[in-house]
Amino acid sequence: MSDIIRRDPRAEWIARNRLHPLHAAMQPAHSSWMGPNGLMRKNVHGLGFIGPNGIKRIDRSGVQQGGTSKRSAVSDVQLPVHVVAAPAFYINVVPDMIGGRLSSHDRDLLGLARQLAGAEGAVLAVVFGEHKETAFDSAGVDRLLALNGNEFDGYSPEQRVQGLRAVDNQFGPQHWLFPDSRNGGGELGRRFAASLGERPATRVWQVKGEHCTS
């Protein structure tokens, strides 16, 4: 959303026309003013704001909530980055990377991998081809391995399985995680498990300890 404040000609016309029924509502509400005898007057009816349930609320903390401000300052909270210098084992993740970026499904899978890795393991993300993602670290990735080559372009499950077999021989991960989706992760994970002679856990939506719920 743009931060540019645009003029409202109709509101300006109502503010100039004292005979308009909405003229009083368009005037700024003065919370306090100097009376004719030198005393400060306060408009108690102008304080507060209307809450979502229609009840008027007064914010006494000094920060007016629910106001009509068109601009809001958003402060980014910098979270500490978990660094694994010498991992004892790896949890490998092959995200879908739709459009070259991590999807919400990919991030959920990386969060699960981070949980399985714990404090001693590292999460290794294996990506095919070029990508546009710049927030692998905040998503829970400790190591990033990009497999580039023309053989991995387009629909190439056999070539990708061969590439993953080479990664498996090099790193010997404790677990492989694939997004069980229609964007390639479900098929690729099943093909890869068949090449290893393993029975994959499919349609898993929750993992607690050594138990999977599907």
Side-chain angles (χ1 to χ4, degrees), residues 61-176:
S61 64
V63 180
Q64 183 73 16
Q65 300 179 359
T68 58
S69 176
K70 296 186 178 180
R71 297 188 180 185
S72 60
V74 180
S75 58
D76 296 333
V77 179
Q78 297 293 335
L79 299 178
V81 179
H82 177 72
V83 179
V84 182
F89 57 90
Y90 288 95
I91 304 295
N92 287 11
V93 181
V94 185
D96 281 334
M97 299 297 294
I98 303 175
R101 300 186 184 277
L102 292 172
S103 63
S104 59
H105 196 170
D106 295 336
R107 294 181 181 274
D108 292 342
L109 200 65
L110 291 172
L112 175 59
R114 181 70 269 161
Q115 179 182 351
L116 294 175
E120 298 180 356
V123 177
L124 172 64
V126 183
V127 179
F128 292 96
E130 298 181 356
H131 62 84
K132 305 175 184 177
E133 185 61 50
T134 59
F136 280 106
D137 52 351
S138 60
V141 176
D142 299 308
R143 305 289 191 276
L144 178 62
L145 178 61
L147 300 181
N148 298 318
N150 297 329
E151 64 273 16
F152 300 128
D153 294 342
Y155 180 73
S156 54
E158 293 85 1
Q159 290 78 7
R160 296 192 177 195
V161 167
Q162 294 298 325
L164 295 179
R165 288 291 300 270
V167 175
D168 185 77
N169 295 332
Q170 180 179 356
F171 292 93
Q174 194 173 88
H175 296 287
W176 280 91

